[in-house]
Amino acid sequence: MKPLIIAGNWKSNKTASESEIWLQNFRIERTNVTVILCVPFTLLSVMKKGSFSLGAQDISPFEEGAYTGEISGKMIKEFADWVIIGHSERRKYFGETDDLLAKKAERAKSAGLKIIYCVPDDTTRIPAGVDVVAYEPVWAIGSGKSETPENANSVIVSIKAKSQVSMAIYGGSVTAENVAAFTVQPAIDGVLPGGASLDPEKFAALIRNAK
Ligand code: PGA
């Protein structure tokens, strides 16, 4: 079986006490799957106790310093090994551009973080140093309508051909029910579920069902 990456994205959900309950109810036994959970900054210290890798969902484009409200790569690295950069919600609601995202990617690399870089298609610029690309068509995110596995595979083939990145995953309405159809595709190295990572039993079932 090929090694898979399953990266849950909690987005702006859960308090510390809700995350403790999630942890108590989350069990996994897979070995060929790298499970990463990307949580809000406020939950990184709580979720460090879990039996999975941890990620942040954003990073400051600056080093530490006089940048009120920002969380630097060095701060994230104390708790997590991964960071999501360029999620479509950051692009849409916070006006993040390819230039800004390239600065964030530089900061992540210099802090020693591994990067999951989200793109909505195969024409979006991908900065150097990205570890995993996540292909996430905007219309499929949170809509309950996923991309077809065959289309996702062919977009990912194209992304890999155009970039230096060898690992690429699919995101957009992935569930325990449809995950295997994506992971059996030859070019797809895993998935990035949002909504389906919020419930510990559903997330564990999704991991179990990935082939
Ligand atoms: P979804 O979100 O699984 O809830 O569609 C995926 C994402 O936005 O990363």
Side-chain angles (χ1 to χ4, degrees):
M1 272 202 286
K2 66 181 173 185
L4 291 174
I5 293 177
I6 298 183
N9 175 13
W10 274 8
K11 309 192 179 187
S12 187
N13 287 293
K14 295 198 193 288
T15 61
S17 51
E18 288 166 350
S19 336
E20 293 277 9
I21 296 167
W22 190 98
L23 269 181
Q24 284 159 20
N25 292 299
F26 180 67
R27 308 256 174 289
I28 37 163
E29 323 78 25
R30 294 281 304 259
T31 50
N32 70 321
V33 180
T34 300
V35 177
I36 306 164
L37 198 64
C38 300
V39 302
F41 294 126
T42 50
L43 304 180
L44 287 171
S45 72
V46 178
M47 298 307 283
K48 211 171 184 287
K49 291 182 287 203
S51 54
F52 40 77
S53 298
L54 207 52
Q57 302 169 6
D58 188 25
I59 181 172
S60 175
F62 299 102
E63 308 246 16
E64 65 189 347
Y67 305 104
T68 302
E70 287 296 276
I71 306 289
S72 73
K74 193 171 145 190
M75 294 171 190
I76 296 169
K77 185 62 183 145
E78 263 195 308
F79 300 97
D81 289 326
W82 291 84
V83 62
I84 295 177
I85 297 178
H87 192 279
S88 68
E89 288 150 13
R90 302 290 322 165
R91 295 175 192 263
K92 179 177 170 191
Y93 299 118
F94 304 95
E96 298 198 354
T97 61
D98 289 344
D99 285 345
L100 177 73
L101 295 170
K103 289 196 188 112
K104 292 189 173 201
E106 259 177 56
R107 292 276 77 81
K109 272 295 117 183
S110 61
L113 291 164
K114 288 183 268 195
I115 301 170
I116 298 174
Y117 196 82
C118 300
V119 297
D121 53 47
D122 62 352
T123 62
T124 304
R125 205 165 88 210
I126 296 172
V130 165
D131 298 278
V132 177
V133 174
Y135 164 52
E136 298 207 303
V138 174
W139 55 265
I141 295 176
S143 66
K145 295 192 190 86
S146 53
E147 171 68 288
T148 66
E150 294 74 20
N151 277 350
N153 188 70
S154 63
V155 175
I156 281 177
V157 167
S158 165
I159 288 170
K160 285 182 175 177
K162 289 179 184 171
S163 69
Q164 309 293 317
V165 187
S166 59
M167 295 291 278
I169 62 181
Y170 166 77
S173 298
V174 177
T175 62
E177 289 70 41
N178 67 15
V179 62
F182 290 100
T183 55
V184 295
Q185 295 291 326
I188 300 182
D189 302 298
V191 290
L192 203 170
S197 67
L198 292 172
D199 177 285
E201 280 94 15
K202 283 189 189 152
F203 190 46
L206 188 154
I207 295 163
R208 232 177 6 252
N209 293 352
K211 290 202 185 107

